[in-house]
Amino acid sequence: MPKRNAEQKAAWALKETTGLDYQEALRRVRAEAATESATTDAPASAPAAVVYALQPTAAEAELGITAEELGIRALPETATPAQRAHAEAVWRPNEDPAAPCRCSGIRCHHGERCEVEFSDGQCDGRLIHVDRHPGSMFELTAWYDTYGCEGCRETFETTVTLTEVPWGEVRLRAQLDGTERTLSTGTDDRVIVLYPGIRHPNFPDSTPEEDDGDELDPDPDPDAYPTPEEEWNAGVDQADEEPLAEEHQEDGLDDEPRDDGDPIEPPEDYDDGPDEDELGPPSRVPAVDLDPQPTAADWSTMEPRSW
């Protein structure tokens, strides 16, 4: 199992104590860490990364909701595209369908009636906007929405286009410093760069659940794993050392191999029949004449032939 960093450990601890979903707990931990970094770690002369126009209410503050999780509406008018995309990806879902959603509101179905049909009628629950993240590898304005119904608990997913909120930008490879998360554009000189903090399906969270299967060793020992050349040479050497007959013996195909040059003599009593120049006993199968022809004994009863 891979090692967890401090944020992931804190998210698991928050998940155990509050019962939150892991992804929600991880978002809360990262939001609190970003707030503390902007207020304490930065030099006194450096301004905060984002000066939010809105702040959480008292009720939201009790729930641990930060200004970052209030969405695009909490950003100032001077917010950069990267800040707008980040806010659109980390807002806190509003569990009250009657209250406004914390996303940008563009093509949002939060609070609408559920369309699930049951045998006794249609569900009367309302939809809750749960998540929004990039929904394409190449289309920068394509986002993926997830909704949940408060009544029947069904989940709905859809793709929306937010032309005002791209989740990345196209840059030249020469402009990169190696720390960016990139996607190919199909050209050699340009790549798609994801804005910081964007959760893209091609870059999933690396922390698995406790009962996940075996994971790769994060610190493998090079001496413990042979190279492809060593594996190939080992196979060739084994083939040269072991003759084919011995391989068959291991497989149980031939327990007593024989020399292919020596003929196999049959036993003396293999054939009790006569020799080649002697006649064998008469057959007991009655003869059947499939094409009978008349003989001289039958001519007297035959009609004379016309020549």
Side-chain angles (χ1 to χ4, degrees):
M1 178 177 292
K3 300 178 180 178
R4 297 178 182 146
N5 56 33
E7 287 184 351
Q8 294 165 348
K9 291 180 180 179
W12 276 106
L14 184 61
K15 175 180 180 294
E16 295 295 333
T17 56
T18 62
L20 293 174
D21 180 75
Y22 171 74
Q23 294 295 338
E24 177 62 24
L26 184 61
R27 282 197 292 267
R28 180 178 296 188
V29 169
R30 288 175 175 174
E32 294 176 354
T35 303
E36 294 177 359
S37 176
T39 57
T40 60
D41 297 340
S45 59
V50 181
V51 179
Y52 292 97
L54 296 179
Q55 294 295 325
T57 63
E60 291 174 334
E62 291 182 359
L63 296 176
I65 300 176
T66 62
E68 181 186 36
E69 297 175 308
L70 295 179
I72 288 181
R73 295 187 180 92
L75 293 176
E77 296 181 356
T78 57
T80 64
Q83 292 171 347
R84 291 173 56 84
H86 178 73
E88 188 69 353
V90 299
W91 47 265
R92 180 78 67 90
N94 199 331
E95 298 180 359
D96 184 4
C101 182
R102 296 191 178 97
C103 74
S104 62
I106 304 174
R107 297 174 181 83
C108 177
H109 301 284
H110 180 83
E112 295 183 4
R113 185 176 179 181
C114 180
E115 298 181 355
V116 174
E117 296 286 346
F118 296 100
S119 59
D120 55 350
Q122 184 177 358
C123 175
D124 57 356
R126 300 292 176 176
L127 299 181
I128 297 176
H129 198 179
V130 178
D131 194 12
R132 174 172 283 182
H133 59 78
S136 174
M137 290 181 57
F138 310 105
E139 183 57 46
L140 297 179
T141 59
W143 293 76
Y144 199 76
D145 280 351
T146 303
Y147 295 89
C149 177
E150 63 167 350
C152 64
R153 302 299 179 181
E154 289 289 338
T155 302
F156 307 91
E157 299 170 339
T158 183
T159 302
V160 295
T161 300
L162 308 180
T163 57
E164 304 86 348
V165 190
W167 46 261
E169 62 184 7
V170 178
R171 297 183 192 173
L172 296 174
R173 290 185 182 273
Q175 300 175 345
L176 306 181
D177 59 7
T179 61
E180 299 89 347
R181 295 176 301 162
T182 61
L183 296 170
S184 175
T185 60
T187 61
D188 295 334
D189 58 338
R190 296 176 181 271
V191 293
I192 296 176
V193 178
L194 276 76
Y195 289 135
I198 299 298
R199 297 171 293 110
H200 195 280
N202 277 43
F203 299 91
D205 189 86
S206 60
T207 301
E209 295 293 341
E210 291 291 346
D211 56 351
D212 278 355
D214 296 336
E215 299 291 339
L216 296 178
D217 187 359
D219 299 318
D221 183 6
D223 298 334
Y225 301 94
T227 63
E229 292 79 8
E230 293 173 346
E231 292 182 349
W232 169 261
N233 294 333
V236 172
D237 296 340
Q238 183 179 5
D240 294 339
E241 294 176 359
E242 298 180 0
L244 184 61
E246 295 181 0
E247 294 180 358
H248 288 177
Q249 287 180 1
E250 294 178 358
D251 297 338
L253 299 178
D254 188 1
D255 294 335
E256 296 181 0
R258 301 175 182 269
D259 188 359
D260 294 339
D262 296 337
I264 300 177
E265 298 293 341
E268 296 180 357
D269 57 350
Y270 177 77
D271 188 2
D272 294 335
D275 297 335
E276 295 180 358
D277 54 351
E278 296 180 358
L279 295 177
S283 175
R284 297 181 180 180
V285 179
V288 179
D289 190 358
L290 301 179
D291 186 18
Q293 298 294 331
T295 62
D298 301 327
W299 287 356
S300 60
T301 60
M302 294 181 58
E303 295 181 357
R305 297 183 179 181
S306 58
W307 299 97

